[in-house]
Coordinates of all heavy atoms in Angstrom, one line a residue:
M1393 N 107.5 59.6 132.6 CA 107.3 60.3 133.9 C 108.2 61.4 134.0 O 109.5 61.3 133.8 CB 107.5 59.4 135.1 CG 107.2 60.1 136.4 SD 107.2 58.9 137.7 CE 105.8 57.9 137.2
V1395 N 110.0 64.5 136.4 CA 110.3 64.8 137.8 C 110.8 66.2 137.9 O 111.7 66.6 137.0 CB 111.5 63.9 138.4 CG1 111.7 64.3 139.8 CG2 110.9 62.5 138.3
R1412 N 119.5 59.2 148.1 CA 118.9 57.8 148.2 C 117.5 57.8 148.6 O 116.7 57.0 148.0 CB 119.7 57.1 149.4 CG 121.2 56.6 149.0 CD 121.6 55.7 150.0 NE 121.7 56.2 151.4 CZ 122.8 56.8 151.8 NH1 123.8 57.0 151.0 NH2 122.9 57.2 153.1
G1413 N 117.0 58.8 149.4 CA 115.6 58.9 149.7 C 114.8 59.2 148.5 O 113.7 58.8 148.3
G1414 N 115.3 60.1 147.8 CA 114.7 60.6 146.5 C 114.4 59.4 145.5 O 113.4 59.2 145.0
L1415 N 115.5 58.6 145.3 CA 115.4 57.3 144.5 C 114.4 56.5 145.0 O 113.7 55.9 144.1 CB 116.7 56.8 144.3 CG 117.8 57.6 143.6 CD1 119.2 56.9 143.7 CD2 117.4 57.8 142.1
A1416 N 114.4 56.2 146.2 CA 113.5 55.3 146.8 C 112.1 55.8 146.6 O 111.1 55.0 146.3 CB 113.7 55.1 148.3
L1417 N 111.8 57.1 146.8 CA 110.4 57.6 146.6 C 110.0 57.6 145.2 O 108.9 57.2 144.9 CB 110.5 59.1 147.1 CG 109.2 59.9 146.9 CD1 108.1 59.2 147.6 CD2 109.3 61.4 147.2
L1418 N 111.0 57.8 144.2 CA 110.6 57.6 142.8 C 110.3 56.3 142.5 O 109.3 56.0 141.7 CB 111.9 58.2 141.9 CG 112.0 59.6 141.8 CD1 113.4 59.9 141.1 CD2 110.9 60.3 141.2
A1419 N 111.0 55.3 143.0 CA 110.6 54.0 142.7 C 109.3 53.5 143.2 O 108.5 52.9 142.6 CB 111.7 53.0 143.3
V1420 N 108.9 54.0 144.5 CA 107.7 53.6 145.0 C 106.5 54.3 144.2 O 105.6 53.7 143.9 CB 107.5 54.1 146.5 CG1 106.2 54.0 147.0 CG2 108.5 53.2 147.3
T1421 N 106.8 55.5 143.8 CA 105.8 56.3 143.0 C 105.6 55.7 141.7 O 104.4 55.5 141.2 CB 106.2 57.8 142.8 OG1 106.5 58.4 144.0 CG2 105.2 58.5 142.0
A1422 N 106.6 55.2 141.0 CA 106.5 54.5 139.7 C 105.7 53.3 139.9 O 104.8 53.0 139.0 CB 107.8 54.1 139.1
V1423 N 105.8 52.5 140.9 CA 104.9 51.2 141.1 C 103.6 51.6 141.3 O 102.6 51.0 140.8 CB 105.6 50.4 142.3 CG1 104.6 49.2 142.6 CG2 107.0 49.8 141.9
V1424 N 103.3 52.6 142.2 CA 101.9 52.9 142.5 C 101.1 53.4 141.3 O 100.1 53.1 141.1 CB 101.9 54.0 143.7 CG1 100.5 54.5 143.9 CG2 102.5 53.3 144.9
S1425 N 101.8 54.2 140.5 CA 101.2 54.9 139.4 C 101.1 53.9 138.2 O 100.5 54.2 137.2 CB 101.9 56.2 138.9 OG 103.1 55.7 138.5
G1426 N 101.8 52.8 138.2 CA 101.7 51.8 137.1 C 102.5 52.2 135.9 O 102.4 51.8 134.8
C1427 N 103.5 53.1 136.0 CA 104.3 53.5 134.8 C 105.8 53.3 135.1 O 106.2 53.2 136.4 CB 104.2 54.9 134.3 SG 104.6 56.2 135.7
T1428 N 106.6 53.1 134.2 CA 108.1 52.9 134.4 C 108.9 53.8 133.4 O 108.4 54.2 132.4 CB 108.6 51.4 134.1 OG1 108.2 51.1 132.8 CG2 107.9 50.5 135.0
A1429 N 110.0 54.1 133.8 CA 110.9 54.9 132.9 C 111.4 53.9 131.8 O 111.4 52.7 131.9 CB 112.1 55.5 133.8
D1433 N 111.5 48.3 135.0 CA 111.1 47.0 135.4 C 110.0 46.7 134.4 O 108.9 47.1 134.4 CB 110.7 47.0 136.8 CG 110.4 45.6 137.3 OD1 110.4 44.7 136.5 OD2 110.1 45.5 138.6
V1436 N 106.3 45.5 136.0 CA 105.2 46.3 136.4 C 104.0 46.3 135.5 O 104.2 46.3 134.3 CB 105.8 47.8 136.5 CG1 104.7 48.7 136.9 CG2 106.9 47.9 137.5
R1437 N 102.8 46.1 136.0 CA 101.6 45.8 135.3 C 100.6 46.9 135.9 O 100.6 47.4 136.8 CB 101.0 44.5 135.6 CG 101.9 43.3 135.2 CD 102.0 43.3 133.5 NE 102.7 42.1 133.1 CZ 104.0 42.1 132.8 NH1 104.6 43.2 133.0 NH2 104.6 41.0 132.4

Side-chain angles (χ1 to χ4, degrees):
M1393 174 173 295
V1395 179
R1412 284 198 299 271
L1415 290 174
L1417 178 60
L1418 286 174
V1420 171
T1421 304
V1423 172
V1424 172
S1425 64
C1427 63
T1428 59
D1433 187 353
V1436 175
R1437 297 289 187 267

